[in-house]
Short mmCIF file of all heavy atoms in Angstrom, two decimals:
data_model
loop_
_atom_site.label_atom_id
_atom_site.label_comp_id
_atom_site.label_asym_id
_atom_site.label_seq_id
_atom_site.Cartn_x
_atom_site.Cartn_y
_atom_site.Cartn_z
N THR A 627 -10.26 6.77 6.14
CA THR A 627 -9.96 5.64 5.25
C THR A 627 -8.46 5.61 4.96
O THR A 627 -7.78 6.64 5.04
CB THR A 627 -10.74 5.76 3.93
OG1 THR A 627 -10.38 6.99 3.27
CG2 THR A 627 -12.24 5.76 4.18
N ASP A 628 -7.97 4.42 4.65
CA ASP A 628 -6.57 4.30 4.23
C ASP A 628 -6.42 3.03 3.39
O ASP A 628 -7.41 2.35 3.10
CB ASP A 628 -5.61 4.30 5.44
CG ASP A 628 -5.80 3.09 6.35
OD1 ASP A 628 -6.35 2.07 5.90
OD2 ASP A 628 -5.40 3.16 7.53
N ASP A 629 -5.20 2.73 3.00
CA ASP A 629 -4.96 1.51 2.22
C ASP A 629 -3.91 0.63 2.87
O ASP A 629 -3.23 -0.14 2.20
CB ASP A 629 -4.57 1.85 0.77
CG ASP A 629 -3.35 2.74 0.69
OD1 ASP A 629 -2.69 2.95 1.73
OD2 ASP A 629 -3.05 3.23 -0.42
N VAL A 630 -3.80 0.73 4.21
CA VAL A 630 -2.82 -0.10 4.93
C VAL A 630 -3.44 -0.90 6.08
O VAL A 630 -2.79 -1.79 6.62
CB VAL A 630 -1.66 0.77 5.49
CG1 VAL A 630 -0.87 1.39 4.36
CG2 VAL A 630 -2.19 1.84 6.44
N SER A 631 -4.69 -0.59 6.46
CA SER A 631 -5.29 -1.29 7.60
C SER A 631 -5.71 -2.71 7.25
O SER A 631 -5.75 -3.59 8.11
CB SER A 631 -6.51 -0.51 8.12
OG SER A 631 -6.12 0.71 8.70
N ASN A 632 -6.04 -2.95 5.99
CA ASN A 632 -6.52 -4.27 5.59
C ASN A 632 -5.92 -4.61 4.23
O ASN A 632 -6.58 -4.53 3.19
CB ASN A 632 -8.05 -4.27 5.52
CG ASN A 632 -8.63 -5.67 5.46
OD1 ASN A 632 -8.04 -6.62 5.96
ND2 ASN A 632 -9.80 -5.81 4.85
N VAL A 633 -4.65 -4.99 4.24
CA VAL A 633 -3.90 -5.20 3.00
C VAL A 633 -4.20 -6.58 2.41
O VAL A 633 -4.01 -7.61 3.06
CB VAL A 633 -2.39 -5.05 3.24
CG1 VAL A 633 -1.62 -5.36 1.96
CG2 VAL A 633 -2.07 -3.64 3.74
N LEU A 634 -4.70 -6.60 1.19
CA LEU A 634 -4.89 -7.84 0.44
C LEU A 634 -3.73 -8.09 -0.51
O LEU A 634 -3.19 -9.18 -0.59
CB LEU A 634 -6.20 -7.78 -0.35
CG LEU A 634 -7.50 -8.04 0.41
CD1 LEU A 634 -8.69 -7.90 -0.53
CD2 LEU A 634 -7.48 -9.43 1.02
N ASP A 635 -3.38 -7.04 -1.25
CA ASP A 635 -2.29 -7.16 -2.21
C ASP A 635 -1.42 -5.91 -2.07
O ASP A 635 -1.87 -4.80 -2.36
CB ASP A 635 -2.83 -7.25 -3.64
CG ASP A 635 -1.75 -7.59 -4.65
OD1 ASP A 635 -0.59 -7.16 -4.45
OD2 ASP A 635 -2.05 -8.27 -5.65
N PRO A 636 -0.18 -6.06 -1.61
CA PRO A 636 0.68 -4.88 -1.38
C PRO A 636 1.02 -4.13 -2.66
O PRO A 636 1.52 -3.01 -2.60
CB PRO A 636 1.93 -5.48 -0.74
CG PRO A 636 1.94 -6.91 -1.14
CD PRO A 636 0.50 -7.31 -1.26
N TYR A 637 0.70 -4.71 -3.83
CA TYR A 637 1.05 -4.07 -5.11
C TYR A 637 -0.15 -3.41 -5.79
O TYR A 637 0.01 -2.73 -6.79
CB TYR A 637 1.67 -5.10 -6.06
CG TYR A 637 2.87 -5.79 -5.46
CD1 TYR A 637 2.79 -7.09 -4.98
CD2 TYR A 637 4.10 -5.12 -5.34
CE1 TYR A 637 3.88 -7.73 -4.42
CE2 TYR A 637 5.19 -5.75 -4.77
CZ TYR A 637 5.09 -7.04 -4.31
OH TYR A 637 6.16 -7.66 -3.75
N VAL A 638 -1.36 -3.65 -5.24
CA VAL A 638 -2.55 -3.07 -5.85
C VAL A 638 -3.30 -2.29 -4.76
O VAL A 638 -4.08 -2.87 -3.98
CB VAL A 638 -3.46 -4.15 -6.46
CG1 VAL A 638 -4.65 -3.50 -7.17
CG2 VAL A 638 -2.67 -5.02 -7.42
N ALA A 639 -3.07 -0.98 -4.68
CA ALA A 639 -3.63 -0.17 -3.60
C ALA A 639 -5.15 -0.17 -3.60
O ALA A 639 -5.78 -0.11 -2.54
CB ALA A 639 -3.11 1.26 -3.72
N SER A 640 -5.76 -0.27 -4.79
CA SER A 640 -7.22 -0.20 -4.86
C SER A 640 -7.89 -1.37 -4.13
O SER A 640 -9.02 -1.26 -3.66
CB SER A 640 -7.68 -0.17 -6.32
OG SER A 640 -7.25 -1.34 -7.00
N LEU A 641 -7.20 -2.51 -4.04
CA LEU A 641 -7.75 -3.66 -3.33
C LEU A 641 -7.71 -3.46 -1.82
O LEU A 641 -8.41 -4.14 -1.07
CB LEU A 641 -6.97 -4.93 -3.69
CG LEU A 641 -7.20 -5.51 -5.09
CD1 LEU A 641 -6.26 -6.68 -5.31
CD2 LEU A 641 -8.65 -5.95 -5.26
N ASN A 642 -6.87 -2.55 -1.35
CA ASN A 642 -6.64 -2.37 0.08
C ASN A 642 -7.40 -1.19 0.67
O ASN A 642 -7.42 -1.01 1.89
CB ASN A 642 -5.15 -2.18 0.35
CG ASN A 642 -4.30 -3.24 -0.35
OD1 ASN A 642 -4.69 -4.40 -0.40
ND2 ASN A 642 -3.16 -2.83 -0.89
N SER A 643 -7.98 -0.39 -0.18
CA SER A 643 -8.63 0.83 0.29
C SER A 643 -9.91 0.51 1.08
O SER A 643 -10.72 -0.31 0.67
CB SER A 643 -8.98 1.74 -0.90
OG SER A 643 -9.58 2.93 -0.45
N GLY A 644 -10.05 1.16 2.21
CA GLY A 644 -11.24 0.95 3.03
C GLY A 644 -11.14 1.72 4.32
O GLY A 644 -10.27 2.60 4.48
N LEU A 645 -12.01 1.43 5.26
CA LEU A 645 -12.00 2.11 6.54
C LEU A 645 -10.72 1.81 7.29
O LEU A 645 -10.27 0.66 7.35
CB LEU A 645 -13.21 1.69 7.38
CG LEU A 645 -14.58 2.11 6.87
CD1 LEU A 645 -15.67 1.51 7.75
CD2 LEU A 645 -14.70 3.63 6.83
N ALA A 646 -10.14 2.84 7.88
CA ALA A 646 -8.93 2.66 8.67
C ALA A 646 -9.28 1.95 9.98
O ALA A 646 -10.39 2.06 10.49
CB ALA A 646 -8.29 4.01 8.96
N SER A 647 -8.31 1.22 10.51
CA SER A 647 -8.56 0.52 11.78
C SER A 647 -8.79 1.49 12.92
O SER A 647 -9.31 1.11 13.97
CB SER A 647 -7.36 -0.40 12.10
OG SER A 647 -6.17 0.37 12.18
N THR A 648 -8.41 2.76 12.74
CA THR A 648 -8.60 3.77 13.78
C THR A 648 -9.87 4.59 13.56
O THR A 648 -10.10 5.58 14.27
CB THR A 648 -7.40 4.73 13.81
OG1 THR A 648 -7.20 5.29 12.50
CG2 THR A 648 -6.13 4.00 14.23
N ASP A 649 -10.70 4.21 12.59
CA ASP A 649 -11.91 4.98 12.30
C ASP A 649 -12.93 4.80 13.42
O ASP A 649 -13.45 3.71 13.64
CB ASP A 649 -12.51 4.51 10.97
CG ASP A 649 -13.82 5.21 10.66
OD1 ASP A 649 -13.78 6.42 10.37
OD2 ASP A 649 -14.88 4.55 10.72
N ILE A 650 -13.22 5.89 14.11
CA ILE A 650 -14.27 5.91 15.14
C ILE A 650 -15.28 6.95 14.70
O ILE A 650 -14.99 8.15 14.70
CB ILE A 650 -13.70 6.23 16.52
CG1 ILE A 650 -12.72 5.13 16.96
CG2 ILE A 650 -14.82 6.38 17.54
CD1 ILE A 650 -12.03 5.39 18.26
N ARG A 651 -16.46 6.52 14.29
CA ARG A 651 -17.42 7.41 13.66
C ARG A 651 -17.97 8.45 14.63
O ARG A 651 -18.14 9.62 14.28
CB ARG A 651 -18.56 6.57 13.07
CG ARG A 651 -19.42 7.29 12.06
CD ARG A 651 -18.63 7.82 10.87
NE ARG A 651 -17.76 6.85 10.27
CZ ARG A 651 -18.11 6.01 9.31
NH1 ARG A 651 -19.33 6.01 8.85
NH2 ARG A 651 -17.23 5.17 8.79
N ASN A 652 -18.28 8.04 15.85
CA ASN A 652 -18.86 8.96 16.83
C ASN A 652 -18.06 8.93 18.13
O ASN A 652 -17.73 7.85 18.63
CB ASN A 652 -20.32 8.58 17.13
CG ASN A 652 -21.21 8.71 15.91
OD1 ASN A 652 -21.63 9.79 15.54
ND2 ASN A 652 -21.51 7.57 15.28
N ASN A 653 -17.77 10.10 18.64
CA ASN A 653 -17.02 10.19 19.89
C ASN A 653 -17.51 11.41 20.66
O ASN A 653 -17.45 12.54 20.16
CB ASN A 653 -15.52 10.31 19.60
CG ASN A 653 -14.70 10.27 20.88
OD1 ASN A 653 -15.09 9.63 21.83
ND2 ASN A 653 -13.57 10.94 20.88
N ALA A 654 -18.02 11.19 21.86
CA ALA A 654 -18.52 12.29 22.69
C ALA A 654 -17.93 12.18 24.09
O ALA A 654 -17.89 11.09 24.67
CB ALA A 654 -20.04 12.27 22.77
#
Side-chain angles (χ1 to χ4, degrees):
T627 60
D628 65 21
D629 57 10
V630 295
S631 292
N632 194 28
V633 176
L634 281 178
D635 189 327
Y637 304 104
V638 184
S640 60
L641 287 175
N642 311 321
S643 181
L645 293 175
S647 58
T648 55
D649 177 70
I650 297 176
R651 197 58 49 88
N652 296 282
N653 186 31

